[in-house]
Amino acid sequence: MLIVKKFGGTSVADKERIFNVANRCIEDYKKGHDVVVVLSAMGKQTDVLLDMANDINPNAPKRELDMLLTTGEQTSVALMAMAMHSLGVPSISLNAFQVAMHTTSVAGNAKLIKIDKDRIRHELEQRKIVIVTGFQGISKYDDYTTLGRGGSDTTAVALAATLHADACEIYTDVDGVYTADPRIVEGAKKLDQITYDEMLELASFGAGVLHNRSVEMAKKYGVQLVVRSSLNTTEGTIVKEEVKMEKMLISGVASDKNVARIAVVGLEDQPGVAFKLFRHLANHNVNVDMILQSIGRDNTKDISFTVTEDMADVAVETVERHRSGSLKCQDVKVNKNVSKVSIVGAGMQTNPGVAAQMFEALYDANVNIQQISTSEIRVTVLIDEEDTNKAMNAVHKEFDF
Ligand code: ASP
Ligand code: MG
């Protein structure tokens, strides 16, 4: 069997944890399996590096940030290889160049294009455990790139897909995927299984357990994932296409505080206004999420939308810049004290009243809804940030997991 095992930062945070991971990998190796290990940077090292960069230059070139951040993963893979050697097991660490992990050239948010197999295959044939840096790649200009925060999960899934691995295990500091963040919601339960689609919605709407692009990729290539803890041997959660157990209505509740709402008030009520607004935003790389347009009155209308907090200023500047030209409006308002709370479940496709049930729980908890968006298997509300935990608990309780 070929097994890809990915370990997050907390799983390799110190010497003891590094040896713990080394031993877990060696266990599989000794059963005769081929083992490919993907690692994140140790502990909070990526944040530490970002703080260092920010201290030197708050507007550091993205290329140099990537150059810096990739050292985090390079440190952990080298130390892991040393640990395995000290335990008498042949292993080798490889970075993005040595494997050749080709990505797009967008520094800080690159996408994997192709992973070369030859070097890894060669090392596996020598019966070595291969330890690969997560999160990083190389651009066609031979520069380091990174895949976005949390991107090591995506490295692992991409490797599993490329190498046709028999298993892809994502090790973290929690026991699996929960119905809600157990640190916020009392009574949150671990799920045995979840579908790719549900996991993707949960990951995209605030459940921090998996990088959303890793789930997208797992679905695309049919890579079955197991999310489990590196600190114990509990079974974990399986992420796959179909879940056969009795269907729960809702599989999870997620929240995301990294949201800002921008309201563009008093736009002209005529064709092309939304097009121009969102075209300008797209040109400035602003990713827009929930969009709401009011009914026109007195030949004007309002459009509000959400963005991640770090993009709020860019979004407002973009609108301001065009206010006297192509985008006439009365006012631009921004509110960073908002959050999103979402429920996700394949069961809502076939059961009416799920949204109403969520809204009722929020009403009972006296939480005001500012905006709503939905997909086939998700309902999201925008609320006051300070209501987030109250809302999470109320909704979770309502659906009685
Ligand atoms: N070390 C990177 C981060 O902290 C990538 C990862 O952990 O997946 O975002
Ligand atoms: Mg992670």
Side-chain angles (χ1 to χ4, degrees):
M1 247 177 44
L2 195 161
I3 307 173
V4 173
K5 299 166 94 72
K6 182 260 168 180
F7 295 88
T10 42
S11 300
V12 291
D14 55 31
K15 179 178 169 185
E16 193 190 330
R17 297 249 171 109
I18 287 178
F19 274 99
N20 168 53
V21 167
N23 281 314
R24 288 192 85 137
C25 297
I26 289 170
E27 218 175 283
D28 283 335
Y29 172 85
K30 289 205 165 144
K31 286 181 194 154
H33 301 312
D34 287 330
V35 180
V36 176
V37 186
V38 176
L39 299 183
S40 293
M42 293 168 69
K44 296 247 169 289
Q45 182 62 13
T46 306
D47 294 319
V48 171
L49 292 169
L50 280 171
D51 286 347
M52 283 167 74
N54 202 36
D55 191 33
I56 298 270
N57 177 357
N59 293 310
K62 289 218 161 75
R63 179 204 180 267
E64 304 306 333
L65 278 175
D66 279 356
M67 189 71 176
L68 179 70
L69 293 186
T70 48
T71 64
E73 272 67 16
Q74 199 152 318
T75 304
S76 50
V77 294
L79 292 174
M80 184 61 68
M82 294 175 199
M84 289 181 184
H85 277 277
S86 80
L87 296 167
V89 172
S91 65
I92 184 166
S93 64
L94 298 175
N95 69 13
F97 269 98
Q98 293 164 325
V99 172
M101 301 238 195
H102 304 279
T103 68
T104 56
S105 310
V106 187
N109 195 22
K111 300 210 161 50
L112 282 162
I113 299 171
K114 184 176 168 287
I115 300 178
D116 294 348
K117 289 184 277 238
D118 295 356
R119 180 72 191 268
I120 295 180
R121 286 261 178 236
H122 173 77
E123 302 296 349
L124 289 174
E125 274 158 24
Q126 313 292 308
R127 276 305 283 156
K128 287 182 193 160
I129 296 182
V130 180
I131 309 158
V132 181
T133 47
F135 177 55
Q136 58 179 249
I138 51 175
S139 73
K140 67 177 172 196
Y141 307 108
D142 272 356
D143 280 326
Y144 269 120
T145 55
T146 60
L147 308 181
R149 296 304 306 266
S152 297
D153 297 335
T154 303
T155 307
V157 175
L159 273 171
T162 304
L163 298 168
H164 302 291
D166 301 285
C168 184
E169 303 165 353
I170 310 286
Y171 288 85
T172 173
D173 51 351
V174 291
D175 289 350
V177 181
Y178 276 73
T179 52
D181 186 335
R183 287 166 304 188
I184 300 177
V185 175
E186 209 187 312
K189 292 197 184 74
K190 193 192 80 190
L191 297 161
D192 293 332
Q193 304 184 340
I194 187 167
T195 67
Y196 293 126
D197 291 332
E198 290 171 318
M199 192 62 237
L200 185 58
E201 295 273 15
L202 282 176
S204 306
F205 284 81
V209 61
L210 280 175
H211 194 223
N212 61 355
R213 290 222 312 274
S214 74
V215 186
E216 235 165 49
M217 196 177 293
K219 179 176 166 69
K220 184 165 168 198
Y221 294 101
V223 177
Q224 185 168 312
L225 304 178
V226 181
V227 180
R228 57 188 299 188
S229 171
S230 65
L231 307 171
N232 60 45
T233 52
T234 312
E235 288 264 338
T237 304
I238 298 172
V239 189
K240 57 184 192 174
E241 186 64 44
E242 294 268 1
V243 168
K244 59 177 179 309
M245 63 177 186
E246 210 177 304
K247 198 69 225 107
M248 281 191 296
L249 200 50
I250 297 300
S251 44
V253 184
S255 64
D256 186 358
K257 293 183 177 172
N258 181 17
V259 191
R261 193 193 62 194
I262 318 279
V264 188
V265 182
L267 284 155
E268 292 171 290
D269 192 12
Q270 50 174 256
V273 169
F275 153 64
K276 283 180 208 150
L277 171 60
F278 293 111
R279 169 57 61 214
H280 289 312
L281 291 167
N283 287 345
H284 288 86
N285 273 322
V286 178
N287 235 326
V288 172
D289 183 31
M290 301 166 98
I291 299 175
L292 185 76
Q293 174 172 315
S294 70
I295 292 176
R297 60 183 140 65
D298 305 332
N299 290 322
T300 67
K301 64 186 171 192
D302 310 332
I303 296 182
S304 47
F305 54 90
T306 60
V307 295
T308 52
E309 256 176 55
D310 55 319
M311 292 310 276
D313 296 339
V314 184
V316 172
E317 279 160 29
T318 304
V319 179
E320 291 285 359
R321 198 167 313 133
H322 297 281
R323 260 181 86 172
S324 50
S326 58
L327 253 184
K328 293 200 182 49
C329 64
Q330 286 155 10
D331 202 2
V332 190
K333 294 184 201 156
V334 57
N335 181 359
K336 295 185 181 174
N337 295 320
V338 289
S339 71
K340 285 187 278 196
V341 170
S342 306
I343 54 171
V344 171
M348 72 174 74
Q349 276 174 304
T350 44
N351 287 282
V354 173
Q357 215 178 323
M358 178 192 197
F359 302 154
E360 186 181 6
L362 292 169
Y363 167 64
D364 288 341
N366 200 22
V367 174
N368 189 41
I369 301 172
Q370 302 180 14
Q371 232 161 283
I372 300 167
S373 82
T374 61
S375 79
E376 277 174 21
I377 60 167
R378 174 184 50 79
V379 182
T380 300
V381 295
L382 191 74
I383 60 172
D384 255 356
E385 188 167 318
E386 62 177 31
D387 284 339
T388 313
N389 293 3
K390 183 167 82 170
M392 288 277 285
N393 276 287
V395 172
H396 192 272
K397 197 158 170 226
E398 173 70 29
F399 286 98
D400 192 24
F401 288 97

